[in-house]
Amino acid sequence: MRVIYNEQMAELADLLGGMAGLAGSAMERATQSLLTADLELAEQVISEYDRIAEMITLAEEKAFALLALQAPVAGDLRQVVSAIQIVSDVNRMGVLSLHVAKMTRRRFPAHAVPEAVNSYFAEMGRVAVKMGATAKEVLESRDPERAAKLTDDDEAMDDLHKHLFTLIMDRDWQFGVAAAVDVALLGRYYERFADHAVEIGRRVVFLVTGVLPPDPDSEKESI
């Protein structure tokens, strides 16, 4: 029974890692579509989200099957419960990538954001993709030290988001209210993508050590 349990947990960990990788890839392409007003690329991200959704359903089924059939306790139960919570965070990462792509589609053929803020979104996209890749890595390696470092990238994302918000609130903003609203929404999508990656890192640390690190963004609203 123990061998079967370990095999099933390994399969679930691989599945979670694959989902995180797909979410990061989706955000990379969504960002590119946003910056270039590439409708075809945006449509790819939107249509391929179904693949992430299917994997999420499969991961949930595997996790609940472990609960029902293996009746895990103590450390084993911690692993399964953490996996269920991680599924939710990966799902949100995929959905946030989807939101970015849908913004591109909604504003096409115009660019969804003014050129003046392109550099901000290019950098936010880079940080988000890096965090998605790191989330994949720590889910597969279960390295608590690497997982904890996701907080550093989250701080960089928060700084970018704050600067972006300062721009749209500045009296010299010349692109209108609609553009300001779009920029604010998009900035929030990237910020929350990073937050969910950090939460995955916290869950991996808890999974390995049994100690849940403090939430660095405990005052943030949930999406």
Side-chain angles (χ1 to χ4, degrees):
M1 290 293 290
R2 187 68 191 179
V3 172
I4 295 175
Y5 171 81
N6 288 335
E7 289 177 349
Q8 290 176 332
M9 279 303 306
E11 290 175 1
L12 182 56
D14 288 343
L15 183 58
L16 292 173
M19 289 159 49
L22 285 177
S25 177
M27 183 57 90
E28 183 174 27
R29 287 177 292 142
T31 301
Q32 185 179 346
S33 75
L34 178 72
L35 297 175
T36 61
D38 188 331
L39 179 61
E40 181 178 353
L41 190 57
E43 293 289 2
Q44 286 180 18
V45 175
I46 293 167
S47 63
E48 290 176 8
Y49 173 74
D50 289 345
R51 182 182 176 193
I52 297 177
E54 290 173 358
M55 293 175 73
I56 287 167
T57 299
L58 179 59
E60 289 176 335
E61 290 174 351
K62 285 181 175 292
F64 285 116
L66 280 166
L67 282 177
L69 301 178
Q70 300 294 342
V73 295
D76 291 344
L77 180 61
R78 183 173 72 236
Q79 292 186 59
V80 179
V81 172
S82 294
I84 293 171
Q85 293 168 323
I86 288 168
V87 169
S88 177
D89 285 302
V90 175
N91 181 37
R92 294 309 306 163
M93 290 167 70
V95 168
L96 289 160
S97 302
L98 187 66
H99 288 340
V100 174
K102 285 184 175 180
M103 182 70 78
T104 299
R105 183 173 68 178
R106 187 177 302 120
R107 299 305 181 206
F108 184 83
H111 283 71
V113 297
E115 186 176 352
V117 297
N118 273 4
S119 61
Y120 286 88
F121 284 106
E123 182 62 12
M124 292 175 87
R126 186 194 69 78
V127 174
V129 171
K130 178 183 178 184
M131 294 184 75
T134 302
K136 178 180 186 298
E137 176 189 333
V138 300
L139 283 168
E140 294 173 346
S141 68
R142 296 190 181 183
D143 181 345
E145 292 184 5
R146 188 76 180 93
K149 290 180 180 178
L150 276 161
T151 303
D152 296 337
D153 289 324
D154 184 48
E155 291 176 356
M157 182 69 85
D158 287 343
D159 287 342
L160 286 163
H161 184 247
K162 289 175 183 176
H163 284 302
L164 191 63
F165 194 77
T166 299
L167 279 179
I168 63 177
M169 294 300 293
D170 193 282
R171 62 194 303 176
D172 293 329
W173 177 262
Q174 56 184 307
F175 305 103
V177 174
V181 171
D182 286 349
V183 168
L185 281 173
L186 285 162
R188 181 66 169 165
Y189 297 155
Y190 284 94
E191 181 200 29
R192 292 303 294 154
F193 184 99
D195 288 344
H196 286 291
V198 168
E199 189 61 23
I200 289 172
R202 292 178 68 239
R203 291 296 170 187
V204 169
V205 172
F206 176 66
L207 187 155
V208 175
T209 68
V211 178
L212 184 65
D215 184 356
D217 299 310
S218 58
E219 295 183 356
K220 288 187 178 181
E221 297 176 1
S222 62
I223 188 167

